[in-house]
Amino acid sequence: MTTRDIDESVNAELNRLRESIDNIDAAVVHMLAERFKCTQQVGHLKAAHHLPPADPARESRQITRLRQLAESAHLDPAFAEKLLNFIVAEVIRHHERIAEESATNPQA
């Protein structure tokens, strides 16, 4: 069965829902971009003050906080934790790169 075989009202509702999903996906991408702009600034601050790229205590607090937010939003907390771990790993990678660049080019 293809979407051409579906009743027109069902197809219209499917399209409406998909448009909402597309809008939400766009918002998620823009929010992640904003988050990474902030974490880039954190990375530069850490590099300037010779702080480590990772902060396990902060990460642990964030996981606890995000799991609670997920539960209250009726989202699987394990999924939310996996997502945060993925994001944090990318942030740490960025911070390590910034620290390396700062060490090789202190004027930058």
Side-chain angles (χ1 to χ4, degrees):
M1 181 178 278
T2 68
T3 54
R4 286 187 295 250
D5 301 328
I6 299 174
D7 179 84
E8 190 58 38
S9 65
V10 173
N11 201 30
E13 180 67 2
L14 182 61
N15 287 335
R16 185 190 68 77
L17 291 168
R18 286 178 173 165
E19 285 176 14
S20 291
I21 290 167
D22 291 349
N23 289 336
I24 293 166
D25 287 346
V28 168
V29 167
H30 286 282
M31 291 302 296
L32 283 171
E34 284 300 311
R35 188 185 196 288
F36 278 102
K37 285 178 189 174
C38 291
T39 60
Q40 290 289 89
Q41 292 175 15
V42 168
H44 287 286
L45 187 61
K46 284 182 172 184
H49 295 279
H50 308 289
L51 298 170
D55 184 346
R58 160 91 172 144
E59 293 159 26
S60 178
R61 289 190 307 273
Q62 284 297 92
I63 287 170
T64 299
R65 180 177 159 274
L66 195 69
R67 286 184 70 90
Q68 291 169 346
L69 287 169
E71 285 180 27
S72 69
H74 306 288
L75 180 67
D76 179 5
F79 169 77
E81 183 174 344
K82 287 177 191 174
L83 178 61
L84 183 63
N85 284 332
F86 179 77
I87 291 169
V88 167
E90 184 68 7
V91 168
I92 291 169
R93 190 178 69 75
H94 290 179
H95 288 184
E96 290 169 342
R97 181 183 46 78
I98 291 167
E100 288 170 10
E101 289 172 359
S102 178
T104 58
N105 189 7
Q107 283 76 18

